[in-house]
Amino acid sequence: MKDDHRSIVRRGRLPESASRPVVTPIWPSVVYSSRDADELSAQYDKRIDGYTYAREGHPNATVLAEKIDWLEGTQGGNVTGSGMAAVAAVFVGLLERGDHIVAGNQLYGRSLRLLTHDLPRLGFSTSLADPTDAAAIAAAIRPETRMVLVEVVSNPTLRFADMDAIARLARQNGLMLVVDNTFTTPRAYRPFDHGADLVVHSITKMLAGHSDVTLGYVAARKAELNAALHEAVVTWGFTPSPFDCWLAERGLNTFELRFERAQENARLLAERLASLRGVEAVIYPGREDHPDHARAKKLLDGNYANMVSFRLHGGRAQVNAFTRGAANIPFAPTLGDIGTTISHPATSSHRGLSAEERARLGITEGFIRLSVGVEDIELLTRELEAAIDASLSV
Ligand SMILES: *Cc1c(COP(=O)(O)O)cnc(C)c1O
């Protein structure tokens, strides 16, 4: 009996099956055992393939990375434990102390913090510039500049970077061009087809699409840069969890369907919102009154994605009435969920700025950003119209 009890810690053989699972299994194993020292050594030398320790790589990360590689038109990308881990891996994996980075001045908030607070502390120097104006990016380039980091679309004002001119500048100056493609997704824009050297994603958003995993992805066009990124991910511990990778892979299966539907909903909603009395302005790149409409049209080939921003008439009281009036639509600071979410930049993503700084970006108190989901458009329109009506009655 005592011996039986002890043997329970001995893992048995995996069940044999001539047939194979249809779905990718989850491999939570932290370690992989080898038959003998020769086999392990051959694996470390990369003479044979195999996993050794989960921080160094595991099958669920490989499966997910290969799917996103395929969407982005590359090979050898790395999945990371968050979008920010992917952004961080680019700097710590590819740059040296003293290198200078030029970055867009309206990046994701945490990326801005990394650039303005943490990287300078570690001996990198950084400059921010307006990516809608390639001349501003050019003016920020110095002899020690090594890298340019931009997002195609700014949050929440949905301004478009001058991607073609920035790619030309990067090429002419021998700089690595890094594109955070989270907002655009490879369905609307494939950075490697337009001169990017590296692509970053927060998989957390539209790619996984269900607000139940936090993951990132980073890939380089050149194999040696991918290898350096892999080393950074493994050394700094940016590794993702197998279960999260599995969930994201499942989400990714419907990515294109979700994108198409959400994009179509966003287009219809932008039109509808523009006709409502409580709405001061609609900010949507597919509209001709958008300041970057022509550029967006050229870059995205008609795929304006799923983000719609608008300004409510009024201030905080009207915004409160709006979010309370849309009780079925989560008021939550994220994007890319299967369902529509509402965000209020003045109290979330842009709360660190002064009211004047926000005003300069066009982010008023009444500014609302929608990440449009795949709901029935009639239902969604009805709910938002009711919420806007509620904002009018305070
Ligand atoms: C969310 C986001 C990130 C950070 O991703 P996490 O998965 O939250 O770490 C980076 N860039 C953009 C554009 C994002 O929207």
Side-chain angles (χ1 to χ4, degrees):
M1 190 61 214
K2 202 155 178 244
D3 279 354
D4 282 354
H5 179 71
R6 242 194 332 254
S7 74
I8 204 159
V9 304
R10 292 276 176 268
R11 278 129 177 159
R13 281 180 332 112
L14 294 175
E16 297 285 340
S17 172
S19 50
R20 291 164 51 84
V22 172
V23 172
T24 308
I26 304 174
W27 282 273
S29 195
V30 169
V31 284
Y32 291 79
S33 61
S34 305
R35 244 192 321 269
D36 57 29
D38 284 349
E39 189 184 88
L40 180 61
S41 187
Q43 218 172 287
Y44 275 127
D45 290 345
K46 307 232 183 299
R47 281 181 280 120
I48 55 173
D49 285 335
Y51 298 94
T52 52
Y53 185 66
R55 182 166 34 69
E56 314 259 339
H58 53 73
N60 291 106
T62 305
V63 168
L64 179 60
E66 284 177 356
K67 284 208 170 191
I68 302 175
D69 284 349
W70 183 76
L71 286 170
E72 286 291 6
T74 191
Q75 283 179 1
N78 290 275
V79 173
T80 57
S82 70
M84 283 315 299
V87 175
V90 169
F91 302 127
V92 300
L94 304 182
L95 297 182
E96 303 291 334
R97 196 180 161 79
D99 285 346
H100 177 247
I101 303 145
V102 174
N105 60 357
Q106 285 191 58
L107 296 178
Y108 181 71
R110 281 283 158 186
S111 297
L112 282 180
R113 175 155 175 105
L114 185 60
L115 284 155
T116 55
H117 185 265
D118 299 270
L119 293 181
R121 197 163 51 76
L122 299 174
F124 302 91
S125 58
T126 62
S127 302
L128 303 180
D130 177 2
T132 67
D133 176 9
I137 296 285
I141 294 171
R142 301 180 192 164
E144 65 274 23
T145 307
R146 293 279 316 283
M147 183 178 275
V148 179
L149 167 65
V150 290
E151 293 170 13
V152 183
V153 190
S154 72
N155 174 44
T157 50
L158 309 182
R159 295 297 308 265
F160 278 72
D162 190 350
M163 294 304 297
D164 292 339
I166 292 171
R168 260 194 312 278
L169 273 176
R171 199 172 53 243
Q172 284 160 1
N173 291 277
L175 311 176
M176 287 181 264
L177 175 60
V178 187
V179 178
D180 180 334
N181 203 28
T182 302
F183 268 62
T184 11
T185 85
R187 191 80 181 149
Y189 187 76
R190 296 215 313 179
F192 289 126
D193 296 344
H194 299 269
D197 299 290
L198 291 116
V199 171
V200 168
H201 274 284
S202 170
I203 297 175
T204 314
K205 313 293 168 50
M206 179 72 108
L207 291 182
H210 295 72
S211 299
D212 51 12
V213 288
T214 302
L215 286 176
Y217 166 88
V218 57
R221 196 159 40 78
K222 292 192 183 137
E224 66 262 31
L225 294 190
N226 273 330
L229 288 166
H230 180 73
E231 289 301 317
V233 168
V234 170
T235 304
W236 290 74
F238 297 151
T239 314
S241 115
F243 183 58
D244 285 354
C245 291
W246 184 86
L247 273 176
E249 183 205 344
R250 190 161 94 142
L252 208 54
N253 289 334
T254 55
F255 160 63
E256 296 195 343
L257 293 171
R258 286 184 284 107
F259 182 90
E260 293 301 325
R261 173 71 172 258
Q263 167 166 273
E264 177 63 4
N265 277 355
R267 186 181 70 77
L268 295 168
L269 205 56
E271 263 172 49
R272 186 76 194 117
L273 289 172
S275 71
L276 299 179
R277 198 159 57 85
V279 173
E280 188 182 287
V282 172
I283 297 130
Y284 172 70
R287 283 175 63 83
E288 293 197 350
D289 63 1
H290 185 284
D292 301 323
H293 174 67
R295 181 178 290 162
K297 191 169 175 180
K298 185 157 165 279
L299 289 179
L300 306 184
D301 196 22
N303 289 298
Y304 299 110
N306 71 317
M307 306 300 287
V308 178
S309 294
F310 63 97
R311 287 195 204 92
L312 277 178
H313 280 296
R316 178 67 63 87
Q318 283 70 26
V319 168
N320 284 339
F322 171 77
T323 59
R324 284 197 300 260
N328 289 329
I329 305 176
F331 172 45
T334 188
L335 63 129
D337 186 58
I338 187 146
T340 301
T341 51
I342 298 170
S343 104
H344 180 237
T347 46
S348 55
S349 55
H350 291 67
R351 68 175 295 122
L353 302 186
S354 67
E356 295 75 51
E357 287 171 316
R358 282 198 296 268
R360 216 172 317 125
L361 295 174
I363 303 170
T364 56
E365 190 61 40
F367 195 107
I368 302 280
R369 187 203 73 188
L370 300 176
S371 168
V372 180
V374 305
E375 300 92 324
D376 174 67
I377 187 65
E378 296 305 324
L379 170 72
L380 188 57
T381 309
R382 214 165 41 242
E383 287 175 339
L384 286 168
E385 280 179 359
I388 289 166
D389 277 348
S391 81
L392 281 170
S393 61
V394 287

